[in-house]
């Protein structure tokens, strides 16, 4: 459970004309570190990381993506990698950062991968906190890596959120139902070990999703995945990432892909890892924050000492 002292309150930062992100920050003046959340999270998922990483010497920032948490909704209706990264590079500009170490989880990991290709000079190095990686099907096949097998029972939510978002939001017609739906991703969907989150954790993490508009906005990325929403620009996740990259993967989740080590060697040629973190599922920043914090500080030790 998050203690009150660990919760860093967000402030609103303008990242484009009249467009703001909610930003949680600690360690002003340290090594720039941007933390990017995914679904079904907000910047609250980094509550156990902000202060320890700041104490390690980082200027650490966790922002709510557009439409999530306390951030403004998309002013242009776009919720894709280019749109998210337009906001995040605008945030770097607003903070006065030329570049940053970028750590991403879930959707945030794919946004970080896209940023490293779309804006390579803005990314110092990458930290990937799951098995996300560039989409290199042809390169993987050429290396003899079998194609992954779909898991329809695990990913049934993708079809509903991506193809029937309006109907799903209409079904979830009270704050309690909306929050319970999001809470399922921390529970019986097996994204993490049993009892990784207690009732207080879930109350804190799901609170923003009580709002129907916030829940609806979070489904937009799945509409992109399912081809039901237009892109503001093509995604840039179709090539290896040359940046130094730390990859940590929670071992205890049913959502993991296959052949991660072999794929990682191609997708991240300068990778450290992947390292498997036992006792953690998909939500490693919350489940095993001490390992995440120490790993990031070690990976960036040269930057911190400089």
């Amino acid at each position: 459970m998050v203690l009150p002292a660990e919760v860093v309150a967000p402030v609103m930062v303008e990242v484009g004309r009249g467009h703001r992100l909610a930003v949680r920050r600690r360690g002003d003046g340290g090594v720039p570190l941007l933390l990017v959340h995914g679904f079904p999270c907000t910047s609250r998922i980094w509550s156990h990381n902000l202060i320890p990483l700041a104490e390690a010497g980082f200027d650490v920032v966790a922002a709510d993506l557009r439409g999530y948490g306390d951030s403004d909704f998309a002013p242009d209706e776009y919720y894709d990698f280019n749109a998210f990264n337009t906001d995040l590079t605008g945030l770097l500009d607003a903070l006065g950062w030329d570049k940053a170490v970028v750590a991403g989880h879930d959707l945030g990991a794919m946004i970080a991968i896209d940023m490293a290709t779309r804006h390579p000079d803005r990314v110092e190095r990458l930290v990937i906190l799951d098995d996300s990686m560039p989409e290199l099907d042809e390169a993987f096949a050429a290396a003899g890596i079998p194609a992954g097998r779909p898991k329809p029972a695990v990913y049934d939510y993708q079809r509903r959120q991506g193809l029937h978002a309006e109907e799903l939001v209409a079904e979830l017609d009270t704050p309690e139902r909306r929050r319970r739906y999001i809470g399922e991703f921390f529970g019986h969907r097996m994204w993490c070990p049993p009892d990784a989150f207690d009732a207080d954790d879930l109350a804190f993490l799901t609170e923003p999703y009580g709002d129907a508009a916030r829940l609806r906005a979070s489904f937009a990325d799945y509409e992109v995945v399912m081809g039901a929403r237009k892109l503001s620009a093509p995604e840039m996740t179709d090539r290896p990432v040359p940046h130094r990259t730390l990859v940590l993967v929670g071992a205890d989740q049913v959502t993991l892909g296959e052949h991660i080590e072999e794929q990682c060697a191609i997708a991240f040629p300068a990778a450290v890892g992947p390292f498997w973190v036992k006792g953690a599922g998909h939500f490693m920043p919350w489940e095993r924050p001490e390992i995440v914090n120490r790993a990031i500080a070690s990976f960036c030790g040269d930057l911190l000492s400089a």
Side-chain angles (χ1 to χ4, degrees):
M1 174 179 160
V2 174
L3 300 175
E6 293 180 278
V7 179
V8 176
V11 297
M12 302 302 292
V13 177
E14 187 169 8
V15 299
R17 183 174 298 178
H19 179 53
R20 306 168 304 160
L21 296 185
V23 174
R24 303 174 194 267
R25 183 182 189 183
R26 279 293 182 271
D28 189 1
V31 174
L33 171 61
L34 176 65
L35 306 178
V36 189
H37 71 82
F39 176 88
C41 303
T42 66
S43 62
R44 297 181 183 210
I45 199 68
W46 303 106
S47 294
H48 296 301
N49 311 105
L50 281 159
I51 293 174
L53 287 170
E55 291 174 345
F58 290 101
D59 185 349
V60 56
V61 165
D64 288 330
L65 295 171
R66 56 168 56 192
Y68 287 77
D70 296 302
S71 287
D72 291 344
F73 292 98
D76 50 14
E77 297 300 319
Y78 287 114
Y79 292 93
D80 54 43
F81 295 162
N82 176 64
F84 290 131
N85 276 321
T86 297
D87 291 349
L88 293 176
T89 54
L91 175 60
L92 300 188
D93 292 340
L95 297 171
W97 293 357
D98 292 330
K99 59 175 59 178
V101 177
V102 182
H105 165 250
D106 188 83
L107 167 63
M110 293 306 297
I111 292 170
I113 290 166
D114 181 275
M115 182 188 288
T117 299
R118 193 181 302 275
H119 306 287
D121 294 338
R122 308 306 299 267
V123 178
E124 180 75 50
R125 57 190 67 168
L126 282 178
V127 178
I128 302 299
L129 298 176
D130 53 39
D131 60 333
S132 296
M133 62 186 70
E135 298 166 358
L136 307 174
D137 292 345
E138 291 185 5
F140 295 156
I145 302 172
R149 293 176 295 177
K151 300 178 180 179
V154 176
Y155 297 120
D156 64 301
Y157 71 93
Q158 287 192 356
R159 290 188 294 274
R160 296 215 67 200
Q161 293 176 190
L163 297 176
H164 308 287
E166 296 292 346
E167 294 92 329
L168 181 55
V169 173
E171 289 177 18
L172 302 171
D173 57 357
T174 68
E176 293 74 23
R177 287 175 178 170
R178 291 188 282 271
R179 294 178 65 179
R180 184 167 60 247
Y181 176 81
I182 291 298
E184 291 175 352
F185 292 94
F186 300 93
H188 71 77
R189 285 188 177 274
M190 305 292 290
W191 284 22
C192 55
D195 303 320
F197 297 86
D198 64 25
D200 290 327
D201 295 335
L202 293 178
F204 176 72
L205 293 169
T206 65
E207 189 274 333
Y209 289 97
D211 182 85
R214 296 290 177 187
L215 184 68
R216 179 65 182 88
S218 75
F219 293 168
D221 176 62
Y222 289 92
E223 292 178 305
V224 170
V225 170
M226 299 301 290
R229 179 179 283 264
K230 292 182 179 179
L231 301 176
S232 63
E235 296 178 343
M236 299 190 70
T237 57
D238 60 348
R239 64 207 74 181
V241 176
H243 298 66
R244 290 183 62 188
T245 303
L246 171 65
V247 182
L248 302 179
V249 183
D252 299 333
Q253 56 178 317
V254 300
T255 56
L256 286 178
E258 300 173 334
H259 308 287
I260 295 172
E261 292 93 342
E262 299 97 318
Q263 292 175 335
C264 192
I266 296 171
F268 303 113
V272 177
F275 298 112
W276 297 90
V277 180
K278 294 183 179 180
H282 187 63
F283 304 101
M284 208 181 333
W286 187 283
E287 296 170 73
R288 298 301 300 272
E290 69 288 347
I291 290 179
V292 170
N293 297 336
R294 288 199 301 266
I296 293 175
S298 179
F299 179 58
C300 299
D302 56 323
L303 301 178
L304 294 169
S305 63

